[in-house]
Structure formats: C-alpha cells, structure tokens
Amino acid sequence: DQQVKQNSPSLSVQEGRISILNCDYTNSMFDYFLWYKKYPAEGPTFLISISSIKDKNEDGRFTVFLNKSAKHLSLHIVPSQPGDSAVYFCAASYGGSARQLTFGSGTQLTVLP
Amino acid sequence: ETGVTQTPRHLVMGMTNKKSLKCEQHLGHNAMYWYKQSAKKPLELMFVYNFKEQTENNSVPSRFSPECPNSSHLFLHLHTLQPEDSALYLCASSQERPEAQYFGPGTRLLVL
C-alpha cells in the first residue's frame, strides 16, 4: 500500500505557464516533505522541502503548498521553462528527519516551447 | 569529484556472479543510503548507514549485502541475484536532520 501517491504519471504545460504537480499521502505521522527532480541518466536532485509546521515554502520559481487536513501537497512552477522537463518525485518522512524517505512514483513534466 | 559518485554506471551479470556497487560522497555527510528503483515503481529504501553503523534494513534479501567502511564510502555486494533484481540502484547521502538527501547518478543493473 503506497503511503505517498502521485496520481498523475504525466503532465504537459506550455512554456511560461504554471505547472502544478500534486502529491497525496496517507500517513498522518509524516511531518517533513520534499520534492526531487530527476533527469534521464541522472540521480534525483533535491528541489524544495517543507515542514509540517508551515503551509507554504517558496524558492524562486518553485513553491510548495501543504494542506495537512487534506494530506495533500503540491509543487507550483511559475513560469515553466523547457529545462524544467523532468520526472518530479514527492517524498515524505517523519520524526523531523529526512532519513526515512517514502517516495511517490513520480510525475513526468513536459514543458512545451 | 564533487557530490555523490557511483560506479559502475551500468552492470550486466549472470545469476551466479558476484559483483559490487560502489558509492562515494564528497559532501562531508554522515549518513548514506541505498535505494532500488524498479520500472514504474517508487524508489524503495534498502539500507541506511549513520556514522558507518547500519540503522535500517528494509527487509532486503540476504543476496544484497551492504558495507560501509567509512562515512564517505558505501558498497553493495551482490551475489546469486534474480532477474527481478534488475533495476536502477541509487546511493544517497545526507547530513543532520532534516537535511535533504543528495543522490548519485545510479547503477543500472541487468541480471540475466
């Protein structure tokens, strides 16, 4: 049973528009959430994280929103660029530590020029 | 070299072979991890080492044997693998909590 779910395996967005990637989780013990980006033939690269004491964290074009009551988080990329095309993984952990990460299955984002 | 490196990048082995995957981190981190990523599945955590001590073994079969001689190096020894063990094996490292994990490029393993 997957505790972290990314229900959209793929997403296509026009360059310059907003990309919204979604992630749902079932374990209410999770208190730390991360997004990773993965290009082909490379390992995942850390993008942005959020603690459960916050509902929003912003870093440049990337913003992560956390809705604890809905057990849902999302990653917004504005504006989207062709170089953002990659697989995006959502991950979660508990105990305030990133040591035991549970990953979602990923969403392939394609930004069209 | 910077970041997390893994060798080899690709490996083909028979079910009776013995091989080892190597990971090295140049970030000064104190925790290292092995993950497995099978096709269309989430990354699965296999092993966690904290200050060279194994702290987690997520029900991984004994045909996978990790070794962490120091905080910078991590090995995964493979023996008598099965075709279903074919996957991408990723190494990662991190510092104190809640630090993010930093991944290597992975070893693509094919078991024939």
Side-chain angles (χ1 to χ4, degrees):
Chain A
D1 183 34
Q2 272 189 264
Q3 298 186 62
V4 178
K5 295 181 183 179
Q6 293 177 258
N7 292 318
S8 298
S10 63
L11 173 69
S12 290
V13 170
Q14 208 67 38
E15 181 179 5
R17 308 292 283 264
I18 184 171
S19 295
I20 300 176
L21 298 110
N22 294 303
C23 179
D24 297 296
Y25 61 95
T26 57
N27 189 342
S28 57
M29 298 291 290
F30 287 143
D31 60 4
Y32 192 62
F33 304 89
L34 306 91
W35 284 95
Y36 283 84
K37 177 171 75 173
K38 185 180 184 302
Y39 293 118
E42 294 182 14
T45 303
F46 168 69
L47 200 55
I48 192 169
S49 62
I50 187 168
S51 163
S52 60
I53 62 174
K54 296 185 174 182
D55 54 19
K56 176 183 173 181
N57 189 24
E58 192 172 349
D59 183 2
R61 296 186 297 115
F62 302 90
T63 303
V64 56
F65 294 92
L66 176 63
N67 182 335
K68 288 191 292 292
S69 60
K71 295 192 178 68
H72 177 85
L73 66 156
S74 60
L75 175 68
H76 293 212
I77 306 174
V78 181
S80 301
Q81 299 172 355
D84 295 329
S85 298
V87 178
Y88 288 79
F89 292 97
C90 167
S93 67
Y94 56 84
S97 167
R99 296 293 167 86
Q100 289 275 3
L101 289 180
T102 301
F103 282 84
S105 52
T107 297
Q108 171 70 57
L109 173 66
T110 303
V111 180
L112 305 167
Chain B
E1 289 275 17
T2 58
V4 181
T5 58
Q6 290 186 243
T7 54
R9 294 293 308 274
H10 301 271
L11 179 62
V12 180
M13 60 187 289
M15 290 191 284
T16 58
N17 291 159
K18 288 185 180 180
K19 296 286 183 183
S20 296
L21 310 184
K22 180 183 176 183
C23 174
E24 186 173 359
Q25 59 97 358
H26 309 268
L27 300 168
H29 290 165
N30 53 31
M32 297 187 77
Y33 315 77
W34 279 116
Y35 285 88
K36 174 184 178 183
Q37 186 180 22
S38 304
K40 301 198 190 291
K41 284 186 160 185
L43 277 75
E44 301 171 54
L45 180 65
M46 299 175 72
F47 300 104
V48 180
Y49 276 83
N50 189 20
F51 289 103
K52 303 187 298 176
E53 298 297 320
Q54 185 177 316
T55 57
E56 292 294 333
N57 173 345
N58 280 7
S59 304
V60 180
S62 59
R63 57 186 184 269
F64 295 91
S65 174
E67 179 190 358
C68 187
N70 55 61
S71 295
S72 299
H73 293 86
L74 186 64
F75 295 90
L76 188 63
H77 304 298
L78 316 171
H79 63 97
T80 59
L81 293 193
Q82 304 298 311
E84 59 265 30
D85 296 323
S86 299
L88 178 68
Y89 288 85
L90 290 158
C91 173
S93 70
S94 71
Q95 189 56 315
E96 297 298 328
R97 53 193 249 179
E99 190 73 14
Q101 294 179 22
Y102 291 82
F103 285 82
T107 296
R108 177 71 62 185
L109 174 67
L110 177 62
V111 181
L112 301 176

